[in-house]
Amino acid sequence: MKGRIYFKLKCLGNGWAAELKAKIGVSTILIALFLFSYGCSTKAEIDLIGMKKGILEELLRVTPENPLKVDILNELAYQESWNGGQTPLDNVNSAKKLAEQIDYKEGLVEARYILGLIYFLRGEFDKSKTSCEESLDLAKRIKYSTGEAMAYNGIARYHQVRGEYAEALKNFLKSEAICKNSADKKDKRALAGAYYGLGALYYYDPEDYKEALKYFGKYRRFGKEIGDNIIIISGDYTIGEMWQNLNQYDKAKRFFWDCVEKSNEIGLIYNTANAYEGLGDVATAQKKYEEARLYYEKSHQHFLKTENALQVAEIKKRLGGLYNKMGEDFQKKEYYKKALEYLREALKIAIDSNIPKTVEKICNEIIFAYNRLNHYKSEFLCNKLLKEIKEFLLKNEMLKQKLILDFEKAAEKERLKRTFLIIGLIGLSIVLVVVLRLSIKLRKQKVKIEDQAKRLEEALIKEKELSDHKDDLMKTVSHQYKTPLANINSTVQVLRDYLPKLTPQEIENQYNKILSNLERMAHLIDQLLKFGKIFTPAEHDLDRICRDFIEELKSNEGDKHNIEFTSSGDCGKIKVDKDYLEIILQNLVNNSIKFSSEGSKISLELFCDKESAVIKVSDNGIGIPEDYLKMPFERYHRGSNVGAVQGTGLGLAIVKRYTDLHCGDISIDSHLNAGTTVTLKIPRIACEKKGVSYE
């Protein structure tokens, strides 16, 4: 035998290590006997990845009951798993049993993972998941990172075949994160598995073949690095698939034939079947139907030997799909009948194995074939079948027998239904003549009733609006009057307590404050009168409304804050309720003033485009706590950091309601002690939302 095996022997008991390289031409048995008769009492570590099956079997025969024997059994089970049969199960179960006996936990982790792989390749997906989860649990307990990565790959494959792509992606990425920077061969094998899974995810969802090709290339490259022929061959197949989907048929065929030759050389039945399936797909795409049929039949024969239910169902589905294409191109019904033979067999296997995605694809092909045959209202029958299949996936055994329908019997029932339907239509025609006259009278009465109901509904809506406005009026009085009244009260107290000590100028300043707040209250009265009216949008210059508001605000506030206004874009005339918009601006800017330090900057920005107007109010104040941001528009709800600042918790609730009346959107971006930005977006197209309230 050609090649080399690298043996690394550690004897931890007496503290020395020996390395031996031997050509395979030397008897492997003699080398093994030398290693195990040398007097070491601890385990020997031999690099088994890439070792041929014959050499592994030869080593197994001479290896005593120690951790190395567990590793050899695991490697044999891994290599044989792709061919099906009982042998890989026997080997992995022997590995599990021995690992438990000698307390070799790392070997037990790997044995459980490989058992999960074997179950997966057989189409027993629930068993596969359970075994991989057991492997992951033990790997975590003993802190065996390589085992964790393998188990994550196994669990991800389960979610992938179930169509649960987000969960699959999460587990593949966990495996990649564990092994990404490791030089260990087992880690590289696990990393290759993660890359294969990520490539498959891009292949199926969102069908990004170029991105999938990148990951499959990495998968194949790692296989070459560690000398794992199974990974190399699988890489050839998957890269061929990608080139086929990118319509590069010559490149695809080259990779598929490489896969056939390498698989036959080392006896990998599963990979040979995959490659023939790929060649069939290429021939189908090129409309070489007879060539495609021959390749699919070869693939079918090989998959039957592996006992892989998923792949057997898949290749039968492909044969059914091929005959559907032939029927469509050659317009021959016998091809559709042949397609149904394969598709029924595929459907039964897919349902028995509980493979949702494959079931759905097979049903689509069945619907296609029955529609082309025009088989007794086939679309109705197949839609009914698909509905029952979905119920099966939820209830399994309860609907299993009901699900596997005999299509001919179902079609016969449908034909009888059509006969009864024709008889019924004749009788219905007679009845309709009699009913027609009555329906005219009933229609007139219905129109009257609907008109009365409509008037009543409009009256109720108006009553509801009036009630809502009344509530808002009272709440806003409380909210808006509190600040000026508090200011007047504090000024009066200053005059009462310190009047003799104040200069004439200081006294005048205090009186001016009282007058300013009285003017503000007068302004609020005017606003509240407007507030009580029905929402009535009209065309207004939004830029002018904002500028007038800022000028009035500056005259009241003086130099306490640096208030800026900027405008960009062509706003022109926009249909808004001017009074409601001023209340929105007043609440937002007043909040910025209340919760920002004196001298800080407060900005009002206006931007317009063809679709909407955007208003932003920003400050550098105390910000809004994260828990409050989850429900900022609830009434009477205030942030935990407001301290002694006066308020009722109604301001943002009012803003939200009036924004909704304009069919607008409002969002808040805030960070503690870093300020707040409130963004208001109002569409140019006028709208009316009746009945909007806080409730």
Side-chain angles (χ1 to χ4, degrees), residues 212-281:
L213 186 61
K214 182 179 78 174
Y215 280 108
F216 287 141
K218 287 183 179 180
Y219 169 69
R220 186 169 178 269
R221 188 176 72 246
F222 274 101
K224 284 190 171 182
E225 281 185 24
I226 63 176
D228 190 324
N229 287 321
I230 293 174
I231 293 178
I232 296 168
I233 292 167
S234 299
D236 284 339
Y237 168 72
T238 51
I239 291 171
E241 266 197 310
M242 294 308 98
W243 285 125
Q244 175 211 325
N245 285 302
L246 293 168
N247 300 324
Q248 301 286 324
Y249 299 125
D250 291 337
K251 288 183 180 179
K253 286 172 74 174
R254 188 176 76 247
F255 277 98
F256 288 142
W257 277 117
D258 284 347
C259 183
V260 170
E261 291 170 4
K262 292 174 184 174
S263 299
N264 285 333
E265 183 181 340
I266 61 174
L268 287 178
I269 301 171
Y270 181 91
N271 300 78
T272 305
N274 263 336
Y276 278 128
E277 181 186 293
L279 288 167
D281 290 343

Side-chain angles (χ1 to χ4, degrees), residues 425-690:
L425 287 172
I426 294 171
L428 183 62
S429 300
I430 297 170
V431 174
L432 284 174
V433 174
V434 178
V435 172
L436 184 60
R437 293 178 182 177
L438 293 173
S439 67
I440 295 171
K441 292 182 179 180
L442 290 172
R443 191 178 300 168
K444 291 179 180 179
Q445 292 177 0
K446 183 182 176 183
V447 169
K448 289 181 181 179
I449 293 169
E450 286 178 347
D451 186 53
Q452 291 173 356
K454 186 177 179 181
R455 287 199 299 270
L456 180 60
E457 184 180 0
E458 288 175 352
L460 288 171
I461 290 173
K462 288 180 180 178
E463 183 65 27
K464 179 69 166 57
E465 286 180 351
L466 289 172
S467 176
D468 287 344
H469 280 291
K470 181 180 177 181
D471 289 345
D472 288 341
L473 185 62
M474 298 305 296
K475 290 163 188 171
T476 305
V477 167
S478 171
H479 179 67
Q480 301 287 351
Y481 267 56
K482 206 154 191 175
T483 300
L485 285 172
N487 290 340
I488 292 170
N489 182 54
S490 64
T491 305
V492 169
Q493 287 180 7
V494 168
L495 290 172
R496 183 190 65 192
D497 296 339
Y498 301 101
L499 184 61
K501 299 178 182 180
L502 297 177
T503 65
Q505 183 60 46
E506 289 173 335
I507 293 170
E508 184 178 354
N509 289 340
Q510 295 299 322
Y511 285 138
N512 287 337
K513 284 184 182 179
I514 293 173
L515 291 173
S516 174
N517 280 285
L518 288 172
E519 288 175 1
R520 184 175 177 187
M521 291 177 69
H523 177 70
L524 286 174
I525 290 171
D526 183 55
Q527 292 296 306
L528 290 172
L529 290 173
K530 295 175 182 177
F531 178 71
K533 72 179 187 63
I534 299 296
F535 177 69
T536 51
E539 289 192 348
H540 292 284
D541 185 342
L542 205 56
D543 183 272
R544 176 46 54 196
I545 292 173
C546 291
R547 289 184 187 279
D548 291 346
F549 171 77
I550 291 297
E551 287 176 9
E552 183 179 354
L553 185 67
K554 284 182 176 181
S555 67
N556 290 332
E557 288 294 322
D559 298 329
K560 289 182 180 180
H561 291 84
N562 180 16
I563 301 173
E564 293 183 357
F565 170 67
T566 58
S567 176
S568 59
D570 182 16
C571 289
K573 299 281 188 179
I574 297 179
K575 205 163 187 179
V576 296
D577 188 304
K578 181 174 180 291
D579 300 325
Y580 280 16
L581 185 62
E582 286 176 349
I583 292 172
I584 289 172
L585 294 174
Q586 186 179 76
N587 274 289
L588 293 179
V589 176
N590 280 346
N591 276 349
S592 291
I593 290 171
K594 284 197 296 184
F595 298 111
S596 300
S597 58
E598 288 193 10
S600 62
K601 179 181 175 181
I602 295 170
S603 63
L604 173 63
E605 302 173 54
L606 173 64
F607 169 75
C608 299
D609 57 24
K610 292 181 180 179
E611 296 180 353
S612 61
V614 178
I615 297 172
K616 284 187 178 182
V617 177
S618 305
D619 62 62
N620 298 313
I622 63 175
I624 300 174
E626 186 176 348
D627 59 341
Y628 178 79
L629 283 174
K630 296 176 183 177
M631 42 184 174
F633 304 115
E634 286 194 11
R635 291 181 293 171
Y636 313 117
H637 185 64
R638 306 187 73 207
S640 58
N641 61 336
V642 298
V645 178
Q646 296 294 321
T648 61
L650 284 172
L652 286 178
I654 293 169
V655 169
K656 179 68 169 69
R657 177 186 172 164
Y658 290 173
T659 303
D660 286 344
L661 287 171
H662 285 88
C663 295
D665 294 316
I666 183 169
S667 61
I668 301 175
D669 180 26
S670 183
H671 303 279
L672 277 179
N673 302 316
T676 301
T677 298
V678 181
T679 304
L680 187 71
K681 188 174 183 180
I682 300 174
R684 280 185 175 273
I685 301 172
C687 72
E688 291 186 13
K689 277 190 176 181
K690 294 187 177 181

Side-chain angles (χ1 to χ4, degrees), residues 74-101:
N74 278 335
E75 184 65 21
L76 276 169
Y78 167 76
Q79 291 188 15
E80 293 166 342
S81 62
W82 305 88
N83 288 337
Q86 187 61 31
T87 304
L89 270 176
D90 291 342
N91 281 330
V92 78
N93 284 326
S94 297
K96 281 178 64 181
K97 185 176 179 181
L98 179 56
E100 289 169 350
Q101 287 175 356

Side-chain angles (χ1 to χ4, degrees), residues 394-420:
L394 295 174
K395 299 181 182 178
N396 208 348
E397 291 300 328
M398 292 176 62
L399 288 174
K400 184 172 180 179
Q401 295 305 319
K402 182 182 177 184
L403 180 63
I404 312 301
L405 296 174
D406 186 310
F407 278 81
E408 284 74 16
K409 289 182 180 179
E412 183 65 26
K413 289 180 182 178
E414 184 63 25
R415 185 168 59 182
L416 289 172
K417 287 180 183 178
R418 291 177 64 195
T419 303
F420 286 120

